[in-house]
Amino acid sequence: MRHNANMLSDWSIPMPITQSALGIAQQFAQYQPNQQKAEQVYLNTLAVCAVNNYLRILGIPTDLTAGDSWNSVVRLAENVADLRVTGLGRLECRPVKPGDLTCPIPQEVRFNRIGYVVVEIDQDHTEATLLGFSPTSETSQLVIHQLRSLKDLPAYLDQFQPMTQLSQWLEHIFEAGWQSVETLLGNQGAEPAFAFRTKSDQTVKRCKQIEWGKPNQGVALVVALTPESETKLNVFLQLNPINGQTYLPPNLQLLLLDEEQEMLINAQARNQDQAIQLDFSCEPGDRFSVKVALDKASVIEEFVM
């Protein structure tokens, strides 16, 4: 739902700019090569801090230091103002000046974002007003009076499925729904292919039931992590039948998708397949999706390493 200028103003959120935010913004700005870049980084940082404080007030967890806007190398090379919303993805926080009618969106931040929040920074840098948000930005600018109201933002974020944090698995912290392989599959989890891939003592594996809402059509998705080096892990995926079934449904597909939901690799069950697998390597910070599809039904699980 979009709002006219008056409605948008009614739901704009003023946030005081804290001394802490000013200090961080000044620190980031002083390492930039020229005044224009320093001002860009300064305002971007204030916008990110303001959105972070707002989401924290709403009880929406964030990871302020995990975004590219907190990475000194990326900050120097690109015009980024992203904020990691825990388990969901990156929210871009774009600053504008009082009276601006549009908000420029740099090319480098038009993708891999779960949304865009426009933040007006006053001339004295004492107050940041969150004007509204947009779920997407496919062009070079957002028209401010066409932004969605901030009152819709919590519900908008709620629709995102939380990502499974695979890095936490290495510390034996598992999200709800991920069970031990033995609990869900019993001895079935020791099929030869799976046993071969997960023979390392360092392998961490978990299993989740994937359902399409129809009786006896579920399968088990097994995910196993094995360290390959200090920065790289092998990820092994396997689909197994459950509910007393011996074989997977013919034509069942297991697909690996990148951050843009583009397919990278896939496997498809044939008649009397007892399991299908995929494996690949990833590094800390990588995000990917696993899609399990049968006919017109599909389920997507989101992961971040």
Side-chain angles (χ1 to χ4, degrees):
M1 180 179 179
R2 292 181 175 177
H3 302 258
N4 61 37
N6 290 333
M7 292 177 67
L8 194 63
S9 177
D10 289 344
W11 283 96
S12 62
I13 306 294
M15 298 289 296
I17 294 177
T18 66
Q19 288 300 314
S20 173
L22 288 170
I24 294 170
Q26 290 166 355
Q27 178 187 348
F28 287 176
Q30 69 180 343
Y31 294 107
Q32 305 311 311
N34 55 57
Q35 183 59 36
Q36 182 180 9
K37 180 65 178 178
E39 182 180 11
Q40 174 197 100
V41 168
Y42 185 82
L43 295 176
N44 285 351
T45 306
L46 293 182
V48 172
C49 289
V51 176
N52 180 63
N53 290 338
Y54 177 62
L55 295 184
R56 289 283 179 175
I57 290 172
L58 295 179
I60 298 173
T62 59
D63 190 346
L64 179 64
T65 62
D68 284 344
S69 60
W70 244 249
N71 182 311
S72 59
V73 175
V74 179
R75 193 168 58 232
L76 177 64
E78 300 181 354
N79 183 359
V80 292
D82 63 322
L83 172 65
R84 287 271 184 185
V85 182
T86 305
L88 302 184
R90 289 188 284 176
L91 194 61
E92 186 71 17
C93 316
R94 300 307 308 180
V96 295
K97 296 178 180 178
D100 284 351
L101 300 178
T102 60
C103 174
I105 302 297
Q107 177 70 34
E108 58 264 40
V109 303
R110 291 181 202 164
F111 305 98
N112 303 330
R113 298 295 190 267
I114 60 173
Y116 300 79
V117 179
V118 178
V119 183
E120 181 184 279
I121 309 293
D122 74 348
Q123 292 183 343
D124 298 330
H125 300 162
T126 59
E127 186 173 86
T129 302
L130 281 59
L131 297 178
F133 78 99
S134 174
T136 61
S137 176
E138 298 176 354
T139 61
S140 60
Q141 63 182 13
L142 296 173
V143 179
I144 290 177
H145 78 268
Q146 293 181 341
L147 295 173
R148 291 181 60 174
S149 169
L150 283 169
K151 71 181 180 66
D152 298 334
L153 183 60
Y156 171 73
L157 294 178
D158 278 345
Q159 72 180 339
F160 287 92
Q161 182 181 15
M163 287 186 175
T164 299
Q165 309 279 328
L166 291 177
S167 60
Q168 295 185 357
W169 287 22
L170 301 177
E171 301 172 3
H172 297 282
I173 301 172
F174 306 101
E175 293 83 354
W178 289 97
Q179 310 173 57
S180 69
V181 174
E182 293 75 16
T183 298
L184 188 57
L185 294 176
N187 293 331
Q188 189 180 353
E191 287 293 327
F194 184 78
F196 172 76
R197 293 290 186 179
T198 62
K199 61 184 180 181
S200 170
D201 292 339
Q202 294 180 292
T203 296
V204 178
K205 55 183 181 293
R206 270 300 190 261
C207 188
K208 186 173 187 179
Q209 186 166 337
I210 304 294
E211 297 179 311
W212 295 277
K214 297 181 179 178
N216 300 320
Q217 282 207 346
V219 294
L221 171 63
V222 178
V223 179
L225 306 179
T226 303
E228 292 184 344
S229 67
E230 290 185 0
T231 59
K232 186 176 290 185
L233 292 102
N234 175 264
V235 181
F236 179 73
L237 309 173
Q238 182 167 288
L239 289 181
N240 294 77
I242 54 175
N243 299 323
Q245 302 297 310
T246 303
Y247 305 109
L248 292 171
N251 301 319
L252 178 73
Q253 293 187 77
L254 174 63
L255 305 98
L256 175 67
L257 311 177
D258 65 13
E259 290 189 58
E260 284 77 37
Q261 301 298 297
E262 296 291 333
M263 187 187 74
L264 299 174
I265 51 177
N266 73 313
Q268 181 168 325
R270 301 160 298 184
N271 288 331
Q272 298 188 341
D273 267 341
Q274 294 182 307
I276 54 175
Q277 307 89 21
L278 295 174
D279 69 339
F280 55 97
S281 297
C282 65
E283 298 178 346
D286 285 350
R287 295 171 55 187
F288 61 89
S289 303
V290 175
K291 183 176 182 179
V292 180
L294 179 64
D295 300 326
K296 296 182 179 179
S298 64
V299 175
I300 293 180
E301 291 284 336
E302 306 276 353
F303 298 89
V304 60
M305 181 55 68

